[in-house]
Amino acid sequence: LKDQEQILELATRIGTRNRLYTVILSIRIYLSYIFHMDDLAGYLVEERDRIKKEDGKILASNILNDTLYTGLVATTMARSRDRKKWEPIALGCKEKLAGWCKESEWNYAHGLKLIEAELAFLDGRNEEAAKLYDDAIKYAAKHRFVHEEAVAFERASHFHAKISGNASPLAQTYLEKAKGLYLQWGAKRKAVDMETQMYMYM
């Protein structure tokens, strides 16, 4: 955070503070989400959107990541905090991804399927959710998005643990696959975090 403030101080002097701040927030949203700091992730989404509204010239730093992880944070917050507030945000992200998917299935199909899976889980449509998680995994693998294949496996593991209990063999298998993919991607700290989750599933 100290380095972040130093960078933002420099950006303020050259007139690009808001633009750079939204980039930093987007990175922190992703990290907060994958490390299950849900309330922080929700706060950061709101803060980034506030800055964007104040400065209409700011564009998304990465349109796929911003939309996908905003949608994933929103489904998580809808399930655990305030569904009325967060579900419309998740649905809006899903609609954006669906539109982009018509132009480029390669880039967007896995993200669309993952948000659809999380929304189905939110609604209690468990059979549909299970299929959509597997579709997200399939598309991420086919299109070589290793890190998001890991996220999809992890979310699918969480889903199966919730509906079948932590001892669910499928939940454990998916979690092990997620850990392997995070390691393949080079996210060693996240792989260590997975060890704690795997212990909980024993």
Side-chain angles (χ1 to χ4, degrees):
L1 290 177
K2 183 178 179 181
D3 288 343
Q4 173 183 305
E5 289 305 317
Q6 290 174 342
I7 292 169
L8 288 174
E9 184 180 344
L10 174 61
T12 299
R13 290 202 297 269
I14 62 176
T16 59
R17 179 185 172 89
N18 282 352
R19 186 180 302 275
L20 183 58
Y21 189 32
T22 57
V23 172
I24 291 171
L25 287 171
S26 292
I27 294 168
R28 292 186 65 197
I29 288 165
Y30 169 74
L31 291 172
S32 299
Y33 177 77
I34 67 166
F35 284 102
H36 309 290
M37 294 181 283
D38 299 336
D39 288 332
L40 176 59
Y43 164 77
L44 293 170
V45 165
E46 292 181 317
E47 176 69 0
R48 186 202 57 206
D49 290 349
R50 180 186 68 79
I51 296 296
K52 285 184 177 181
K53 285 177 183 177
E54 289 180 358
D55 187 342
K57 297 178 182 179
I58 295 176
L59 301 176
S61 57
N62 182 313
I63 197 166
L64 171 58
N65 279 355
D66 278 7
T67 304
L68 173 57
Y69 288 99
T70 296
L72 292 175
V73 169
T75 56
T76 300
M77 296 297 284
R79 187 162 47 248
S80 64
R81 298 292 185 270
D82 185 343
R83 181 167 181 170
K84 185 177 180 180
K85 173 182 176 179
W86 288 98
E87 186 176 18
I89 297 172
L91 289 169
C93 292
K94 185 195 84 166
E95 291 306 312
K96 286 181 182 179
L97 287 167
W100 298 333
C101 196
K102 293 175 184 177
E103 303 298 325
S104 177
E105 181 182 276
W106 186 281
N107 287 322
Y108 302 113
H110 66 285
L112 174 60
K113 294 299 180 182
L114 185 52
I115 288 185
E116 287 179 338
E118 292 281 85
L119 286 167
F121 180 20
L122 178 64
D123 284 341
R125 294 178 279 118
N126 292 340
E127 186 174 341
E128 182 181 352
K131 181 181 183 304
L132 287 165
Y133 283 117
D134 286 343
D135 286 345
I137 290 165
K138 177 186 73 175
Y139 279 114
K142 179 182 178 182
H143 299 156
R144 300 193 292 276
F145 288 91
V146 174
H147 58 307
E148 278 154 8
E149 185 184 357
V151 172
F153 266 119
E154 185 177 5
R155 296 311 303 168
S157 172
H158 176 76
F159 162 74
H160 286 289
K162 285 290 185 181
I163 66 169
S164 301
N166 283 351
S168 163
L170 199 52
Q172 294 179 37
T173 297
Y174 279 26
L175 200 64
E176 289 168 1
K177 288 184 177 180
K179 179 187 174 185
L181 287 162
Y182 280 123
L183 283 171
Q184 180 182 332
W185 188 48
K188 295 180 182 179
R189 179 62 186 85
K190 175 58 183 175
V192 171
D193 177 67
M194 301 293 288
E195 292 288 347
T196 302
Q197 294 185 63
M198 292 173 75
Y199 177 77
M200 291 171 59
Y201 286 6
M202 291 176 64

